[in-house]
Amino acid sequence: MEAKTAVNVGQLSRKPELKPKRKIKWKNVLTYAAFVGPALLFFVVIQIIPFLMGIYYSFTSWNGISAAVDWVGLENYKKIFTNDAKFFNSFWFTTRFMFAAVVISNLLGFGLALLLNGALKTRNILRTVFFMPNVIGGLLLGFIWQFIFVKGFASVGKYTDIGIFKLAWLGDEATAFWGIVIVFAWQTAGYMMVIYIAALQGVDQSLVEAARIDGASNWNVLTKIMMPLILPAFTICFFLTISMAFKIFDINISLTNGGPFNSTESVAINIYREAFQYNNFGLGTAKAVLFFVIVAVFTTVQVVMTKKKEVEA
């Protein structure tokens, strides 16, 4: 008993052994810094700093040229909500355009993905053809379609006497709206198609075959099996099309320039004109900050809602 006590006392009297500290491997740190550092530096310089400066200028009455920057507080934001009907008209147009463009772009993209996910011999060529409009710049695309709407449709209507080709597509408020939607959907559908094809190719075909053996129709296979399995692709495509539709600028300005009578003026064009044409840089940046908050809230709600659907599925 005394021996055991002596052993225990001896063990207690020993100092606990300290684990050696892990040495920082500077080689790994420098490697990570070499790869991540330049991208992080450019992101801070090009994105973060201008964003913070924009927030600051939104509280000023700076004209974008002079050295004098006058602090006005919340006056720019008050002016937007009390005395700027054009901004809310452009926001209403952009919102309507966003809903129409998102629905049509995703329907076209998903339809093309279903078609070209099959065993077609020319599917690779067709995928390239449908994706190519996304490579063309928005300004060039707008001018091309402006020629099609003004000259091409008029010529087709003259020789075929079909009413739809005789419409003043860019000269009327309703048709100009749908003209921009058509061009936007034509440009983005191929990009959405690529994402949907990648998701469809990841579906376990044994599940589809088992459903068909059990007598499920093509519609049931699509809606009950395939679509729930590719919900993450819908989340990504909805997010991309919503953000792109809200921020539309190049197609809009080259196709209609906000006309006729500012009926197709997007929020981005309204902000551009306020800051760089009317030299109200402070008010323009206030509109940009407000627009950023609205888009961020809208896209966040969309992602949260679709993510919940993924979990339920």
Side-chain angles (χ1 to χ4, degrees), residues 2-300:
E2 290 178 0
K4 290 183 178 181
T5 305
V7 171
N8 292 337
V9 171
Q11 290 176 348
L12 292 173
S13 63
R14 293 178 186 173
K15 293 182 179 180
E17 295 181 1
L18 297 175
K19 294 182 179 180
K21 294 182 178 179
R22 295 181 63 182
K23 293 182 180 180
I24 299 175
K25 295 181 180 180
W26 290 105
K27 183 179 179 180
N28 292 340
V29 173
L30 292 175
T31 303
Y32 296 148
F35 282 101
V36 180
L40 183 62
L41 177 63
F42 279 110
F43 179 75
V44 171
V45 172
I46 297 174
Q47 296 285 343
I48 302 300
I49 293 177
F51 177 74
L52 296 176
M53 291 176 65
I55 293 176
Y56 166 74
Y57 285 126
S58 70
F59 297 101
T60 68
S61 62
W62 187 40
N63 61 7
I65 301 173
S66 66
V69 180
D70 299 324
W71 182 268
V72 295
L74 296 174
E75 288 300 319
N76 289 327
Y77 293 95
K78 291 179 182 178
K79 187 176 181 180
I80 293 172
F81 286 102
T82 58
N83 193 26
D84 201 337
K86 287 182 67 176
F87 176 76
F88 286 98
N89 289 337
S90 63
F91 181 76
W92 172 238
F93 162 78
T94 306
T95 304
R96 291 186 295 118
F97 168 79
M98 184 273 297
F99 280 109
V102 167
V103 171
I104 295 174
S105 298
N106 281 279
L107 283 176
L108 280 175
F110 187 61
L112 291 173
L114 289 175
L115 178 65
L116 300 181
N117 193 46
L120 293 175
K121 292 183 179 180
T122 58
R123 61 182 180 181
N124 291 331
I125 298 175
L126 291 174
R127 288 175 185 176
T128 304
V129 169
F130 290 130
F131 183 77
M132 281 184 65
N134 188 71
V135 181
I136 304 174
L139 286 173
L140 181 60
L141 200 65
F143 287 125
I144 291 172
W145 273 91
Q146 187 184 68
F147 176 81
I148 293 172
F149 281 129
V150 175
K151 300 293 185 180
F153 278 22
S155 299
V156 173
K158 179 180 178 181
Y159 289 106
T160 62
D161 201 30
I162 299 175
I164 193 171
F165 293 109
K166 292 183 176 182
L167 298 175
W169 273 90
L170 302 181
D172 183 72
E173 179 180 350
T175 52
F177 171 83
W178 288 109
I180 299 172
V181 172
I182 289 170
V183 178
F184 179 86
W186 186 74
Q187 183 188 32
T188 57
Y191 188 24
M192 301 305 110
M193 174 197 70
V194 172
I195 299 174
Y196 285 128
I197 287 175
L200 288 170
Q201 289 180 345
V203 174
D204 189 356
Q205 292 301 311
S206 62
L207 298 175
V208 178
E209 293 173 2
R212 294 190 187 280
I213 292 172
D214 289 339
S217 62
N218 291 333
W219 178 252
N220 287 332
V221 170
L222 176 64
T223 57
K224 303 297 183 181
I225 297 176
M226 298 180 70
M227 290 181 68
L229 290 175
I230 64 170
L231 277 178
F234 284 102
T235 301
I236 296 170
C237 290
F238 286 158
F239 174 81
L240 291 174
T241 48
I242 287 172
S243 59
M244 287 190 293
F246 261 128
K247 297 183 294 184
I248 185 173
F249 177 79
D250 46 5
I251 292 176
N252 194 185
I253 203 167
S254 60
L255 196 62
T256 64
N257 197 24
F261 306 107
N262 295 326
S263 60
T264 61
E265 183 183 76
S266 66
V267 175
I269 292 179
N270 183 272
I271 294 170
Y272 166 78
R273 287 175 174 168
E274 193 69 59
F276 299 105
Q277 288 187 4
Y278 309 145
N279 291 331
N280 296 325
F281 200 86
L283 182 59
T285 51
K287 291 181 178 181
V289 171
L290 182 62
F291 187 52
F292 165 78
V293 173
I294 294 172
V295 175
V297 170
F298 202 96
T299 51
T300 302

